Amino acid sequence: MNRVVMVIGGGGRESVLVEKYSLSPHVSKIIAISGNDLMQFVSKKPLITFPNIKTTDKNEILKICRLQKVDLIDVSRDDTVAAGVSDLLRKNKFSVLGPSKKAGKIEWSKIYSRKLLKKINIPQPEFKVFDSQKHGIEYLKSQKEQQWFVKADGLAGGKGAMPAKNNNEAISAIKSLRQFGRSGEKFLLEKWIKNNNQIAEEFSAFALSDGKSFKILGYAQDHKRANDGDTGENTGGMGASFPPLLIDKNIEDQVDKIFEKTFAELLKRKTPYVGVLFLGGILIGKKVYVIEFNARWGDPEGQVIVPSIQNDFYELGAAVATGKLNNISLKIFKTPRVCVAVAPHGYPISKKHIGEEIIGVLKFLKNKDTKIYGAGIKFQDKKLVTTGGRALHVVGEGKNIKEAREKAYNVINKIIKEGNKLHYRSDIGWRDIRRLK
Ligand code: GLY
């Protein structure tokens, strides 16, 4: 049918979206803004990337949509949503799968999100809003010693939620909010949710909405810390597993209700949500609390869930963009998958190894049930070099989480044997591996 799809972004998440759209018989060409240099190997259709166009540059993006006669645009980045790219494209009669700036406020203002959830009675941590560091610090000095989260109100490149083990650490975190510029001018102080020695486990859930109706896409578990055993710095995510064995009917029912109430409230506010909504949840005992909402797919969660969707991806995207999600019956195969992120050595602290060559990766791209998606990587003088952040996402698929994980690590071990010095976690999926035993 010669449809042209644009995917905005250039990470592992957008790579799997490019792959999925390219499998649709309706699609003849894919445009990626900014894209990455490994996307061409996963796209089954001709792909054009625009490495010099910023994902927030709405006027340039609009120009490319016109020139390339784009039929559907998939917006899955927080900064793109906050820049109002979806709004401008819709105003110019393009079909967009992605929230408006106002609907996306559920991610780009943590204060707005907390207040919205409070209004509709969704379980969440206790919070207090501040617009001056002085008041935040005074408040902390009046509180008994406890654990906190300090959260910048605005987007902060995934670094805006800072855990603090005591009041002093929280004061230091408040002082460090300056690094986020305007995003850190207002902030939240959140109390850690007490778990009274009950199990407390995080998960990510995803739903797709056309503004009027919604469908659950699936669940995954992210591994946010840099090192094995969930230690070290917070990162965008060092790996993900799917489907989490933690998720049972009780959790599904609670999550369903949370999405239902949230989408209904956004519609009531005349900011209907069109696109993928990401619920970061924590299970305390048997009760689900919302840690945060994101107006997009997760990365690396997308890399393990998107391949499970069996529907024609163009038909699904077009149905969402035109308010016809109810016409689609979702087909999801819960084949276990484990995604392991591979980053330059020293990530995320040292930048010393950024720009180094990764040797011998291309020959592993054709594995049948293990996929490699590029992210912070580019060709330079015919060599693949890292550009910072997570460089590759290796996704293994198997009959269970153990087999899926083995497949991912087999490929990673081969990449390391080529002589590469890279950083990755060796325990992705550890919770479900333990549950399987
Ligand atoms: N993996 C977490 C995120 O995408 O924000």
Side-chain angles (χ1 to χ4, degrees):
M1 271 223 292
N2 288 333
R3 297 293 186 210
V4 179
V5 174
M6 176 184 278
V7 172
I8 301 184
R13 168 183 57 199
E14 290 81 13
S15 301
V16 75
L17 293 172
V18 163
E19 176 181 51
K20 203 69 187 173
Y21 281 114
S22 77
L23 288 165
S24 165
H26 299 292
V27 174
S28 61
K29 186 163 68 176
I30 312 263
I31 314 285
I33 310 275
S34 319
N36 72 56
D37 286 353
L38 283 190
M39 271 181 180
Q40 56 179 304
F41 298 101
V42 292
S43 181
K44 307 285 182 277
K45 301 282 164 59
L47 167 82
I48 308 176
T49 59
F50 286 84
N52 298 322
I53 304 292
K54 288 206 175 80
T55 52
T56 50
D57 190 342
K58 51 186 173 188
N59 293 317
E60 278 304 313
I61 292 172
L62 175 62
K63 258 194 229 163
I64 296 167
C65 286
R66 284 182 172 142
L67 272 171
Q68 298 285 341
K69 300 193 172 29
V70 172
D71 295 287
L72 177 70
I73 301 115
D74 191 316
V75 175
S76 200
R77 281 183 60 96
D78 50 7
D79 55 355
T80 310
V81 171
V85 173
S86 309
D87 306 72
L88 181 69
L89 297 176
R90 278 198 188 100
K91 206 169 130 201
N92 285 276
K93 310 282 178 244
F94 284 98
S95 267
V96 182
L97 189 162
S100 65
K101 180 171 180 174
K102 282 185 178 159
K105 193 168 181 181
I106 199 158
E107 172 166 16
W108 59 258
S109 170
K110 305 287 178 251
I111 295 173
Y112 174 80
S113 183
R114 281 280 173 248
K115 287 183 175 170
L116 183 147
L117 292 180
K118 188 169 178 190
K119 177 165 181 282
I120 57 175
N121 279 320
I122 303 288
Q124 61 177 338
E126 264 182 65
F127 66 93
K128 213 166 159 53
V129 175
F130 294 93
D131 59 10
S132 98
Q133 295 205 355
K134 184 169 161 274
H135 292 148
I137 292 168
E138 273 169 17
Y139 174 78
L140 273 172
K141 285 182 176 161
S142 72
Q143 296 294 299
K144 68 173 174 32
E145 276 302 325
Q146 59 193 295
Q147 292 176 294
W148 303 89
F149 262 97
V150 177
K151 286 191 181 168
D153 180 43
L155 297 180
K159 297 189 185 120
M162 295 176 282
K165 285 196 214 73
N166 52 45
N167 295 11
N168 266 340
E169 277 192 23
I171 290 172
S172 304
I174 289 176
K175 288 181 180 161
S176 77
L177 284 165
R178 281 199 186 90
Q179 66 181 301
F180 305 125
R182 291 200 61 193
S183 286
E185 279 174 8
K186 289 193 237 160
F187 61 95
L188 290 161
L189 263 179
E190 294 183 5
K191 289 189 179 169
W192 278 47
I193 307 171
K194 284 260 178 350
N195 70 13
N196 299 323
N197 298 326
Q198 291 171 301
I199 295 168
E201 200 166 323
E202 291 184 30
F203 63 87
S204 308
F206 298 85
L208 187 59
S209 168
D210 64 0
K212 298 172 296 205
S213 62
F214 77 95
K215 292 182 193 286
I216 304 284
L217 292 165
Y219 294 78
Q221 277 188 301
D222 188 10
H223 299 64
K224 289 195 171 67
R225 300 299 193 98
N227 303 324
D228 284 5
D230 292 331
T231 58
E233 301 286 307
N234 255 334
T235 69
M238 293 305 295
S241 60
F242 166 85
L245 301 178
L246 170 80
I247 305 302
D248 60 12
K249 176 84 171 60
N250 160 50
I251 299 173
E252 283 176 350
D253 288 348
Q254 292 182 61
V255 166
D256 208 67
K257 200 81 211 151
I258 293 170
F259 275 124
E260 186 187 323
K261 287 169 86 172
T262 306
F263 287 128
E265 177 64 20
L266 288 168
L267 186 59
K268 204 168 122 197
R269 293 180 181 203
K270 300 198 170 38
T271 57
Y273 193 96
V274 178
V276 174
L277 185 61
F278 166 174
L279 182 164
I282 186 163
L283 184 72
I284 309 277
K286 292 198 174 302
K287 187 167 169 181
V288 171
Y289 293 78
V290 174
I291 300 174
E292 63 178 10
F293 269 119
N294 296 313
R296 54 181 173 81
W297 273 111
D299 187 345
E301 292 96 324
Q303 289 88 306
V304 288
I305 302 180
V306 169
S308 72
I309 302 169
Q310 302 303 305
N311 301 70
D312 181 303
F313 223 56
Y314 180 80
E315 286 175 13
L316 182 60
V320 171
T322 54
K324 294 184 185 128
L325 180 58
N326 263 341
N327 293 352
I328 302 269
S329 164
L330 273 186
K331 282 188 226 81
I332 296 189
F333 290 173
K334 290 189 179 169
T335 310
R337 260 177 228 102
V338 168
C339 173
V340 183
V342 177
H345 192 65
Y347 174 84
I349 299 169
S350 161
K351 310 239 178 291
K352 217 170 90 195
H353 297 275
I354 297 173
E356 281 181 1
E357 185 182 1
I358 304 193
I359 310 155
V361 169
L362 297 184
K363 61 175 169 281
F364 302 121
L365 297 181
K366 291 269 179 258
N367 272 295
K368 196 176 146 282
D369 40 15
T370 310
K371 289 274 171 57
I372 300 181
Y373 300 108
I377 199 154
K378 67 172 181 189
F379 281 113
Q380 191 173 289
D381 304 327
K382 298 198 175 140
K383 291 175 184 166
L384 258 189
V385 299
T386 59
T387 58
R390 295 162 292 178
L392 301 169
H393 295 266
V394 181
V395 180
E397 196 175 286
K399 62 177 184 298
N400 57 34
I401 212 88
K402 196 163 169 272
E403 192 182 278
R405 169 161 121 151
E406 270 165 23
K407 287 187 177 166
Y409 282 119
N410 276 343
V411 171
I412 290 177
N413 290 337
K414 286 181 191 162
I415 294 173
I416 298 299
K417 276 202 185 125
E418 291 288 318
N420 292 298
K421 211 166 173 214
L422 294 160
H423 174 70
Y424 62 94
R425 274 180 63 161
S426 64
D427 64 347
I428 302 300
W430 66 268
R431 289 185 181 82
D432 278 347
I433 298 279
R434 201 167 65 181
R435 273 189 270 264
L436 267 185
K437 280 178 186 161

